[in-house]
Amino acid sequence: MPPDPWAAYRLRWKRRRLLARAVVRRRQLSAVRDRTDAIRPGDILCFLTVRNEAARLPHFLDHHRALGVNQFLAVDNGSTDGTGPLLAARPDVSLWRTDASYRLSRFGLDWLTWLMMRHGHGHWCLTLDADELLIYPHWQTRPLDALTGWLDDSGTRMMGALMLDLYPEGPLGTAAASHSALTHFDAGNYTIQRQEPMGNLWIQGGPRARVFFADDPRRAPTLQKVPLIRWDRRYVYVNSTHAALPRRLNAIYGDGEALTGILLHTKFLDEVIEKSAEELNRGEHFRHSPLYRDYYRKILDGPVLWSERSTRLTSWRQLEALGLMSRGGWV
């Protein structure tokens, strides 16, 4: 149900404040390669903020390019591993750089909001992290423009997705540096509720809740996202891509079963130990730093996420059968 008039008023002002923040923060961005003049009407765009992701970006770009992303718009937040040159060399990537604080930019959202205001208006836009790979029903045989065309025809401006943590069988940090090493996921142990006043879903669970937040699962990371939206310059993400404004963008299930996707979360490649040590020192990724310092320290111990209840990933149809995503009316 919609929020009361006072709550709706506050959400409108919140959206305006966040848009204004993005306009101010645009000054922190310096263009490295601006190829946005190549964007054409109907192009599907992907927005991301990255730092030291040279190892995983080739796979990320290839995967989403194969799905049908036409242009990538990326912000490099002070990378030192060659991420910038790697992205700048791709002809379908526009790249900006900043050394400003990731945390104080709303974890990169201020920068991406500005770029989406400028270049995303009227386009279907994917907003992702470099360790997220979008899949959806029929993803191997039906391109993104078929999906977005169906969403347009059905009058739907967004598609939600569950972030599904993938992990290896052995201890973290010992698997091969390949996405193929991330073979398993948790099929159950998820909780779901709707949050007010924005009406977004709040899903928690999976291996991170089970292993790292077993004493207080309510503090585990949020897994529901709305990564695909037909963008309007008046829209804004509020908390990563977990929720957006206006509020109606979070109604991803409506009155019945809806088409949803999965974000395959590839955080637990072998580099996770090194990256967690870096983020533990930087303290740039989370608002509640004491809580997540403990989280990163546990990752440094190289725990085993696999258990006897783990499920090996085989196909999107398996994920649909488990109730983790749905074709809705798209058959």
Side-chain angles (χ1 to χ4, degrees):
M1 60 184 299
D4 63 71
W6 176 240
Y9 173 81
R10 287 183 297 178
L11 290 178
R12 283 196 299 273
W13 276 103
K14 183 180 185 70
R15 176 167 56 88
R16 292 169 184 170
R17 286 195 303 271
L18 295 179
L19 291 171
R21 278 179 61 112
V23 173
V24 172
R25 294 296 198 282
R26 78 188 190 280
R27 300 187 183 95
Q28 296 177 338
L29 299 177
S30 298
V32 179
R33 290 288 187 275
D34 187 348
R35 301 183 174 101
T36 55
D37 58 353
I39 296 174
R40 297 293 179 259
D43 278 357
I44 297 173
L45 310 180
C46 180
F47 294 79
L48 67 159
T49 300
V50 294
R51 175 183 167 83
N52 290 343
E53 296 288 5
R56 69 173 76 239
L57 275 170
H59 185 80
F60 173 93
L61 295 171
D62 288 345
H63 175 85
H64 294 101
R65 191 179 289 123
L67 289 185
V69 169
N70 301 105
Q71 297 283 332
F72 298 86
L73 292 85
V75 175
D76 177 14
N77 185 206
S79 293
T80 59
D81 69 341
T83 286
L86 183 154
L87 289 170
R90 267 51 177 188
D92 55 356
V93 175
S94 289
L95 178 65
W96 290 260
R97 182 179 172 92
T98 180
D99 293 315
S101 170
Y102 181 71
R103 180 172 57 86
L104 296 181
S105 70
R106 292 202 306 124
F107 308 101
L109 282 181
D110 288 337
W111 305 324
L112 295 187
T113 299
W114 168 248
L115 294 179
M116 295 170 84
M117 290 169 67
R118 281 281 312 229
H119 306 293
H121 181 73
H123 290 270
W124 279 97
C125 296
L126 265 176
T127 306
L128 300 171
D129 293 333
D131 59 8
E132 295 172 342
L133 303 174
L134 176 71
I135 65 171
Y136 50 84
H138 305 291
W139 69 275
Q140 291 150 314
T141 56
R142 299 188 194 177
L144 264 173
D145 59 0
L147 173 71
T148 56
W150 185 87
L151 291 169
D152 280 331
D153 290 344
S154 63
T156 304
R157 297 189 66 88
M158 65 286 182
M159 186 186 77
L162 175 72
M163 186 165 62
L164 189 70
D165 290 317
L166 302 181
Y167 49 86
E169 289 190 69
L172 296 186
T174 61
S178 168
H179 289 81
S180 62
L182 303 179
T183 53
H184 286 76
F185 67 97
D186 281 19
N189 77 310
Y190 297 99
T191 63
I192 180 171
Q193 57 183 297
R194 191 174 295 278
Q195 287 188 312
E196 296 299 340
M198 288 191 294
N200 57 297
L201 294 184
W202 188 23
I203 299 178
Q204 294 175 291
R208 285 185 287 173
R210 172 169 54 82
V211 175
F212 302 117
F213 297 91
D215 294 337
D216 192 355
R218 294 172 299 175
R219 293 184 175 271
T222 304
L223 303 178
Q224 179 61 43
K225 292 196 169 187
V226 191
L228 181 63
I229 296 178
R230 178 177 274 282
W231 203 256
D232 185 286
R233 62 174 59 95
R234 297 167 298 177
Y235 294 171
V236 65
Y237 281 116
V238 177
N239 175 22
S240 180
T241 57
H242 301 305
L245 289 172
R247 184 182 188 273
R248 62 181 180 275
L249 295 173
N250 303 312
I252 57 176
Y253 290 107
D255 296 325
E257 188 175 13
L259 172 63
T260 59
I262 290 283
L263 295 177
L264 299 176
H265 192 211
T266 65
K267 178 183 181 70
F268 297 115
L269 290 175
D270 68 334
E271 64 181 18
V272 68
I273 303 295
E274 179 182 352
K275 291 179 77 68
S276 295
E278 179 186 10
E279 293 309 325
L280 182 61
N281 291 327
R282 292 178 71 233
E284 283 284 305
H285 265 74
F286 298 99
R287 293 184 180 91
H288 307 295
S289 55
L291 171 68
Y292 282 94
R293 277 200 295 268
D294 291 342
Y295 169 51
Y296 280 125
R297 289 190 183 104
K298 291 176 181 177
I299 291 178
L300 295 181
D301 291 336
V304 176
L305 303 188
W306 185 91
S307 77
E308 293 182 354
R309 296 185 179 180
S310 297
T311 302
R312 179 176 288 273
L313 179 65
T314 59
S315 69
W316 70 263
R317 295 183 185 276
Q318 171 201 35
L319 299 176
E320 181 188 35
L322 290 168
L324 298 177
M325 74 174 177
S326 171
R327 280 179 284 180
W330 194 46
V331 296

